[in-house]
Amino acid sequence: MTGTRRKGISDFRNVSDLRIQFYCEYRLYLKQIHGETKSEASLQGEMLHSQVSKTSMGFIPNTVVFALLVLIIIISAILWIWM
């Protein structure tokens, strides 16, 4: 075996990798042929995702409460070390 390298099992692709690749290529093909069409369920899902992201992003931490919490933790740590 001079000059050649014997291929191991890890050098080959999995069957599931080929299936996933075909699925992605077929989705791209359908998108090119039919365009990007959105179903009613897709539109409703986008609306729900935008509502969830608005409510979760609307939370602004109060800096005064955060500063007091840090101060309490520091004081309790100092008291724990002392005692």
Side-chain angles (χ1 to χ4, degrees):
M1 287 186 47
T2 59
T4 60
R5 185 175 149 261
R6 185 166 227 222
K7 289 188 171 267
I9 293 175
S10 63
D11 291 335
F12 296 102
R13 295 189 72 169
N14 245 344
V15 174
S16 61
D17 292 340
L18 295 174
R19 181 182 52 82
I20 291 170
Q21 179 182 353
F22 175 73
Y23 177 73
C24 292
E25 288 175 359
Y26 189 68
R27 285 185 65 189
L28 178 65
Y29 166 76
L30 288 176
K31 215 180 263 187
Q32 289 173 347
I33 297 297
H34 298 290
E36 182 95 22
T37 59
K38 297 195 177 200
S39 66
E40 183 65 33
S42 174
L43 293 173
Q44 186 178 10
E46 286 180 1
M47 182 186 69
L48 290 173
H49 277 282
S50 67
Q51 286 176 355
V52 168
S53 65
K54 284 180 187 176
T55 57
S56 64
M57 294 305 233
F59 174 72
I60 300 172
N62 192 347
T63 55
V64 174
V65 173
F66 182 71
L68 285 174
L69 183 64
V70 170
L71 185 64
I72 290 170
I73 291 172
I74 291 173
I75 290 172
S76 63
I78 291 171
L79 289 175
W80 183 72
I81 291 173
W82 253 8
M83 296 187 175

